[in-house]
Structures are given as C-alpha cells and as structure tokens.
Amino acid sequence: MKKLLGLVFLMLILVSFTEFTSSKQQTTANSLEGTWELVNRYNYDQGNVTDTLLNVNGYRQIKIYSKGKVMWTRHSPDDPNEWFGYGSYTNTAEELEERLEYGSATMMAIQDTVQVFKFELHLYKDSFSQISLDENGIPESSENYKRID
C-alpha cells in the first residue's frame, strides 16, 4: 500500500511539473515576430555613425511582423502625405528583405523603382536595426526599433 501511495504521489508531482513547464510561452529568441516602434535613425559616413535623428513633433513609425507578412505605418504631423505599406518579408540572422505588395500612393511611387527592400539586420530580443547599405556594402543609414509587444 505504501508503495502504491508513493507511486501515485510521484506521478502527481511529475504531471504537475510537466503541466507547469509546458504552460510557459515558447518563443524563439531574437525573432522579428511582433510589433516594433521606431526609436531613431542613424546616418553613416564610411561606416561610422555621424548623426542620430530622433523622432520629434509627434512623429511615429510602427512595424508589425507576423507569419511572413509585414505592415508598417508612419505618422508625421509635419508631412501631409500618407505613409503605409504591406507586404511579405524574410530574414536570416544577418539580412532582412521586405517586398511591398501595396501601400499609400507615396509609397507605391517609390515601389515603382524599388521592388525589394534589402537591409543588413542587427536583431536582439527587444530591439533591431535595419541598415541600408550602398553598392559597396558600406552602411548609409539605419532605422532602429524597439519591441512594443
């Protein structure tokens, strides 16, 4: 009887422990999945940051990455143009590629000349930078984001 009680007690502990550990959210470290807000932008000269452009006067830019899709929107009280876009994305540890499917009229005019937006990617748990490179692979500018969800 003691053995049976001991076995039942041990099984209850194992089941409880399994349920507790499996209820933890499983996330991939350093994933783009989620919602991000632009913190600032950098300008580079020969690979070195020369200027930091902060968001001022109510400027906001948000990106949402989910299941291979990206959507972004920008609000700038000083700019009467609408800015938003939707498309697909892929990324590796070092590169981000976005393909615009549709967007605001202003963005679609840019899409007429640029079909695929490629960036060097620096991805961390709660922040990332997408860095635009020149034809020689030298950084020209970056957008730097923080995770907001």
Side-chain angles (χ1 to χ4, degrees):
M1 182 70 150
K2 284 184 180 182
K3 286 183 181 181
L4 182 60
L5 260 159
L7 185 59
V8 169
F9 183 72
L10 182 61
M11 287 177 57
L12 283 173
I13 289 174
L14 289 174
V15 169
S16 297
F17 183 74
T18 303
E19 211 171 288
F20 176 75
T21 57
S22 66
S23 67
K24 290 183 181 178
Q25 185 178 14
Q26 300 295 314
T27 58
T28 303
N30 301 348
S31 170
L32 273 175
E33 292 278 316
T35 307
W36 303 83
E37 183 168 11
L38 182 72
V39 176
N40 57 35
R41 290 164 285 168
Y42 293 158
N43 287 327
Y44 292 83
D45 184 18
Q46 297 185 11
N48 297 312
V49 175
T50 59
D51 196 14
T52 301
L53 306 170
L54 301 173
N55 299 335
V56 295
N57 300 331
Y59 181 97
R60 288 191 79 191
Q61 184 166 310
I62 305 292
K63 281 192 168 191
I64 302 170
Y65 293 95
S66 179
K67 300 175 187 165
K69 298 295 184 180
V70 60
M71 184 171 184
W72 65 270
T73 183
R74 178 177 109 179
H75 173 70
S76 179
D78 300 335
D79 185 352
N81 293 313
E82 290 186 7
W83 289 91
F84 64 87
Y86 172 81
S88 60
Y89 82 95
T90 57
N91 73 286
T92 64
E94 299 87 27
E95 185 176 88
L96 170 62
E97 183 175 296
E98 297 178 355
R99 295 177 182 273
L100 187 65
E101 294 175 28
Y102 71 87
S104 60
T106 309
M107 196 61 218
M108 292 309 287
I110 294 170
Q111 198 239 0
D112 285 343
T113 59
V114 180
Q115 299 293 317
V116 179
F117 298 87
K118 290 186 179 183
F119 306 100
E120 180 178 308
L121 178 63
H122 294 185
L123 178 59
Y124 308 97
K125 181 181 177 196
D126 292 319
S127 65
F128 83 91
S129 295
Q130 62 181 49
I131 303 168
S132 298
L133 306 174
D134 69 12
E135 61 278 352
N136 298 316
I138 307 295
E140 292 182 311
S141 63
S142 71
E143 293 182 350
N144 307 302
Y145 290 85
K146 70 176 179 179
R147 185 182 297 276
I148 58 174
D149 100 358

